Amino acid sequence: MQRLHGGREAVFLDGPGGSQVPTVVIETMVDFYQTCNVNTHGCFPPSHEVDRRLALARETLAAFLGAAGPDTISFGQNMTTLNFALSAAIGGTLQAGDEVVITQLDHEANRGPWLRLQERGVIIREVKLKESGELDPSDMASKITSRTKVFAIGASSNALGTVNDIALGRRLTSAVGALLVVDAVHYAPHFPVDVQAMAADFLLCSGYKFYGPHVGVLYSKPGALDRLPTERLCVQDPAAPYRIETGTLNHAAIDGMRAAVDYLASWGKGTTLRERIVDAMNGISAYEHRLAGIYHDGVRRLPGIHVFGPDFTSRSRAPTISITLDKHTAAEAARALGAQGVYVWDGHFYAARAVECLRLAERGGLLRTGISMYSTDGDVRRLLDGIEQLA
Ligand SMILES: Cc1ncc(COP(=O)(O)O)c(C=O)c1O
C-alpha cells in the first residue's frame, strides 16, 4: 500500500478487518480481465483458460488448507454467505429438538446462520466465554451431548486473538457423532491450516483476510457436501464442490486469491506447494508473534489501559490485541490514532456477543490492533506512542 498520511507512510493495523493486497494479486486480476473475461465451460480458448484457472485455484486453496484435493474446495461471495448456505443445508437434515452448539466468542457470521435454525425448532446452546477471553472447556464438554448435531466454533477470535481448542471440540463431537464446523477466517492469515489434522467436517475462510480479494472459501470433508440438500438450480452440477456454488462466481477474484496463496508460499521453502505454504505460514506466525508481543508488553505497562484476551506467553495466540482506555472510548482513541495515520478498529467487529459478555458494549467496545505480515517495528512504535499520548 502506497498511501501517505500527512506526508508519512500510513500504518495499517486493521488486518483483521481486511488486509492489503500485494501487487502480484492486482496484476493477476488485471490479466484475467484483459485476457479471459468470459464464462466457464465454453468451446473456445479463453473459456478453457478460465476453466484452467479455476481448477488451479481449487488445487492451490486445497494446498493452503491441507485438504485432500480440489473437490473439497467451494467458492462463494464471502464467508458469511457461504455459512448461511451451509447452515440452511445442514438445517434441512435436522429435526425439531436437535441441538446445535455455538460459542459466545464467535463472530456473528458463525452464530447468526445457526441461530436462524431456531425457526425450524432446532435448539441452540452456547459455550461460555471466560473473563480470560478463552472458551470454558468444561462448559463445552457439558453442552455437547448426544442431542448435538453440529458444533460451530471459530479457530481464532477476531476480537481477542484467542486460539480455540479445536482438538477438544473434535473429540467431543466425534464421541456423539456431531459435525464440526470451523470458522478459520481469523486463523488462516496467521497460522498454517490443516483441515485433515483438525478433522473438520467443514471449514470456512475468506480471501480478503489473507492478502487476496473478496472471495469466501468452504472446505468440505470428502463426501460431506454430497449428503446435504443445498439450495441449487436443476441445471447446476450437483456434485461437490459445485453443489453449494450458486450462479456465476467472481472468477477474477478467485484467480487473485490463488495468486495471494502463491505469494504467501513464495516466502517459504520446500519442494511441494504445501510444504512452502506451511513453512511460510510458520515464519509469518513467528514474525507477527514477536511484533504483537512488543505491542502487548508496551501497552499493558501504560496507565489506565486494560488488555483483553489470553496471556501472550503462549505461541498459540493470534497477533490481534484489544484494549480499553480509562480516559477515552475506543472510537475516540481510534479517531485520534487515525488522525495520525495509524489505522486501528474500534467497537465489536461483529464479535458482538463476546463484547457483550465482557460487559463492554455500553462503553463502545474495544480498540483492536491487528498485526499482519507487512507490519513493522516502526508501526508498533508509532501505535504505542499514539496510545501513550491518549493514556
Ligand atoms: C472470525 C471471522 N469470521 C467470519 C467473518 C466474516 O467473513 P466475511 O466478511 O468473509 O463474511 C469475519 C470477518 O471479519 C471474521 O473475522
Side-chain angles (χ1 to χ4, degrees):
M1 183 40 112
Q2 293 147 8
R3 191 181 175 101
L4 292 180
H5 187 111
R8 298 172 83 185
E9 257 183 53
V11 174
F12 287 84
L13 293 167
D14 61 331
S19 46
Q20 299 305 312
V21 175
T23 306
V24 66
V25 171
I26 298 165
E27 285 171 354
T28 298
M29 291 172 71
V30 169
D31 179 70
F32 182 96
Y33 282 121
Q34 287 179 336
T35 64
C36 57
N37 188 27
V38 299
N39 219 326
T40 53
H41 303 311
C43 298
F44 48 97
S47 185
H48 300 156
E49 175 65 14
V50 178
D51 291 341
R52 189 190 67 76
R53 291 193 190 202
L54 288 188
L56 184 61
R58 287 189 212 277
E59 270 172 38
T60 305
L61 268 293
F64 183 59
L65 300 179
D71 291 351
T72 63
I73 303 295
S74 307
F75 298 121
Q77 191 181 340
N78 49 46
M79 180 276 184
T80 306
T81 310
L82 275 172
N83 208 23
F84 266 115
L86 177 68
S87 62
I90 292 177
T93 67
L94 302 184
Q95 316 291 323
D98 284 345
E99 295 186 4
V100 169
V101 180
I102 59 175
T103 86
Q104 290 184 336
L105 181 56
D106 271 69
H107 188 285
E108 275 306 303
N110 202 28
R111 291 172 41 87
W114 304 106
L115 286 163
R116 272 287 290 280
L117 300 182
Q118 289 177 119
E119 291 163 19
R120 315 171 62 107
V122 171
I123 295 164
I124 306 293
R125 306 254 178 239
E126 219 185 35
V127 177
K128 279 191 200 136
L129 175 64
K130 299 193 293 181
E131 289 290 314
S132 66
E134 289 155 313
L135 292 172
D136 184 336
S138 53
D139 193 51
M140 192 189 290
S142 72
K143 296 276 163 63
I144 297 173
T145 69
S146 56
R147 291 182 300 278
T148 308
K149 300 298 171 207
V150 180
F151 180 32
I153 179 176
S156 175
S157 161
N158 68 314
L160 303 178
T162 318
V163 171
N164 291 325
D165 192 348
I166 301 297
L168 174 62
R170 180 70 283 182
R171 279 200 301 282
L172 295 168
T173 45
S174 291
V176 296
L179 295 173
L180 179 69
V181 178
V182 179
D183 170 3
V185 172
H186 191 64
Y187 189 86
H190 304 298
F191 303 96
V193 180
D194 190 335
V195 282
Q196 296 188 81
M198 277 183 192
D201 293 289
F202 298 96
L203 178 139
L204 300 110
C205 59
S206 209
Y208 74 102
K209 309 285 190 179
F210 52 85
Y211 314 103
H214 289 254
V215 185
V217 182
L218 170 68
Y219 159 82
S220 311
K221 193 171 96 178
L225 193 57
D226 297 289
R227 287 194 279 275
L228 296 183
T230 54
E231 289 284 353
R232 58 184 192 278
L233 303 177
C234 65
V235 285
Q236 194 179 327
D237 191 334
Y242 316 105
R243 194 174 175 81
I244 200 163
E245 292 179 343
T246 44
T248 304
L249 297 170
N250 189 338
H251 301 144
I254 292 169
D255 201 17
M257 181 170 60
R258 189 273 309 150
V261 173
D262 280 341
Y263 172 81
L264 285 168
S266 73
W267 290 87
K269 291 197 180 68
T271 43
T272 66
L273 176 61
R274 174 70 187 161
E275 282 168 8
R276 289 193 295 281
I277 289 169
V278 171
D279 187 53
M281 294 312 298
N282 280 328
I284 289 167
S285 252
Y287 175 79
E288 293 178 338
H289 191 84
R290 183 186 67 79
L291 279 186
I294 295 172
Y295 172 62
H296 189 265
D297 203 42
V299 82
R300 73 192 170 87
R301 290 170 199 274
L302 297 176
I305 301 284
H306 307 274
V307 186
F308 292 79
D311 190 340
F312 219 77
T313 48
S314 145
R315 273 295 297 281
S316 185
R317 191 204 194 285
T320 299
I321 297 164
S322 288
I323 64 168
T324 56
L325 299 85
D326 283 349
K327 290 194 179 162
H328 299 275
T329 64
E332 285 166 357
R335 218 171 290 126
L337 291 166
Q340 298 171 22
V342 177
Y343 307 150
V344 291
W345 272 106
D346 65 283
H348 58 60
F349 340 104
Y350 283 22
R353 185 76 174 115
V355 167
E356 182 187 54
C357 291
L358 295 171
R359 298 173 303 284
L360 297 171
E362 295 75 34
R363 299 180 45 205
L366 295 157
L367 184 77
R368 178 183 71 182
T369 293
I371 302 291
S372 298
M373 69 181 290
Y374 45 70
S375 304
T376 64
D377 286 83
D379 293 349
V380 171
R381 193 65 261 154
R382 274 177 67 185
L383 172 67
L384 279 170
D385 287 349
I387 294 179
E388 191 167 3
Q389 286 166 28
L390 292 165

